[in-house]
């Protein structure tokens, strides 16, 4: 009796594995991609199997390196951090109202410069302007520490 149950269990397991393998290795009609990662086994796993890579866009040669908006976001994030630091120093009484006003105006001027440069360059900040804005933000941080 034990042999019949064991044999039936092994036969059922073998049939289920064979059936599962047959379903997993089903045919994929109409595949034109070639390459080691796009064979029959891998077809359909990668999202863009049938899509050709985009053609490189022709860009004019410029001497100024321009980067997308992460530079603007970085500057604005640093200014928000400086703003929070000024507020904390002011509420703790370490920063006078005159120094607070002067630092607030300096922060607003840097923010205005950053958004103006980004507006002139389609939302981007060139390398030289980014370096100057970074120096301005570091000088603002130093002024906050010195005034507190």
């Amino acid at each position: 009796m034990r042999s019949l149950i064991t044999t039936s269990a092994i036969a059922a397991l073998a049939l289920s594995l064979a059936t599962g393998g047959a379903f997993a290795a089903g045919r994929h009609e109409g595949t034109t991609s070639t390459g080691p990662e796009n064979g029959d086994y891998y077809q359909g796993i990668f999202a863009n199997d049938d899509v050709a890579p985009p053609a490189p866009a022709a860009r004019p040669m410029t001497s100024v390196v321009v980067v997308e908006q992460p530079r603007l976001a970085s500057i604005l994030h640093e200014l928000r951090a400086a703003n929070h630091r000024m507020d904390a120093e002011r509420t703790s009484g370490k920063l006078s109202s005159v120094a607070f006003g002067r630092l607030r105006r300096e922060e607003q001027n840097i923010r205005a410069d950053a958004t103006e440069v980004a507006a002139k360059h389609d939302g981007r900040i060139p390398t030289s302007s980014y370096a100057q804005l970074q120096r301005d933000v570091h000088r603002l941080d130093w002024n906050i520490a010195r005034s507190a």
Side-chain angles (χ1 to χ4, degrees):
M1 181 74 179
R2 183 184 293 190
S3 175
L4 180 63
I5 294 173
T6 307
T7 306
S8 300
I10 292 174
L13 182 65
L15 286 173
S16 65
L17 288 175
T19 305
F23 281 120
R27 291 185 54 104
H28 296 284
E29 296 295 328
T31 59
T32 59
S33 300
T34 59
E37 71 278 353
N38 288 331
D40 284 339
Y41 180 76
Y42 293 103
Q43 189 66 35
I45 292 177
F46 298 103
N48 295 329
D49 280 342
D50 296 346
V51 178
R59 295 184 181 168
M61 297 298 289
T62 59
S63 60
V64 177
V65 177
V66 179
V67 177
E68 297 292 328
Q69 290 190 7
R71 287 186 176 179
L72 178 61
S74 172
I75 294 290
L76 295 179
H77 174 71
E78 290 175 9
L79 289 174
R80 278 191 299 273
N83 195 2
H84 288 300
R85 189 169 160 203
M86 284 188 287
D87 289 339
E89 297 291 334
R90 177 73 179 130
T91 56
S92 68
K94 296 180 182 177
L95 200 59
S96 69
S97 61
V98 173
F100 179 75
R102 180 179 50 83
L103 291 170
R104 181 70 74 177
R105 281 190 303 276
E106 187 177 344
E107 181 260 336
Q108 289 172 349
N109 288 338
I110 295 170
R111 184 181 305 275
D113 290 344
T115 54
E116 181 181 342
V117 168
K120 285 182 182 178
H121 297 283
D122 297 325
R124 302 173 183 158
I125 297 180
T127 303
S128 59
S129 299
Y130 181 68
Q132 180 60 43
L133 288 168
Q134 285 285 1
R135 284 191 293 271
D136 292 344
V137 170
H138 290 301
R139 188 174 56 246
L140 174 66
D141 287 337
W142 185 77
N143 287 340
I144 292 170
R146 188 179 58 129
S147 298

